[in-house]
Amino acid sequence: MPAATQLTDVLKTLADPTRRAVFERIAREGEIAATGLVQGSKVSQPAVSQHLRALRDAGLVAERREGRHIHYRVAPKGLGPLIDWLGHYETFWAERFANLERLLKESE
């Protein structure tokens, strides 16, 4: 899959606030069963399942089956396209701020 397509998939997936909250909870917990994600949330089990499927399809979470339970954990490589894209802009803005700082020093 092309990098641009992967980036689009990651951004679309994390754009949904509920899905992002599910992802963040998985990241905080380290690993959590799908049933644990439903408990203590205002989201129904079918909705959590849909969000988990979207996160899995985007490569953002991995699953481990244990009997009837499925445990989810963050798949760090799934964030790769986003990190690469942000890295490009980090360099871009660092150069711009350095140029601005140089310009301000010259104008003093």
Side-chain angles (χ1 to χ4, degrees):
M1 180 181 310
T5 303
Q6 291 174 328
L7 175 61
T8 300
D9 288 347
V10 169
L11 290 172
K12 280 181 168 179
T13 302
L14 293 175
D16 181 277
T18 303
R19 190 171 301 131
R20 195 169 50 251
V22 169
F23 178 79
E24 290 170 356
R25 181 153 179 219
I26 294 168
R28 268 193 320 274
E29 299 286 333
E31 184 176 87
I32 188 168
T35 53
L37 288 166
V38 175
Q39 295 170 349
S41 76
K42 296 178 181 174
V43 183
S44 68
Q45 188 277 324
V48 168
S49 293
Q50 287 179 349
H51 290 303
L52 287 169
R53 182 173 34 254
L55 289 166
R56 189 183 63 239
D57 290 349
L60 294 168
V61 297
E63 61 183 33
R64 177 180 63 82
R65 293 183 180 271
E66 186 177 286
R68 292 178 31 198
H69 299 282
I70 303 173
H71 299 264
Y72 291 88
R73 67 187 178 286
V74 169
K77 288 184 180 181
L79 290 172
L82 180 59
I83 291 167
D84 292 344
W85 184 74
L86 289 171
H88 167 75
Y89 286 99
E90 176 183 23
T91 303
F92 172 83
W93 284 111
E95 290 172 1
R96 296 306 182 273
F97 286 129
N99 290 341
L100 177 61
E101 184 177 9
R102 195 169 37 257
L103 179 64
L104 291 172
K105 284 181 181 179
E106 289 172 4
S107 67
E108 289 178 350

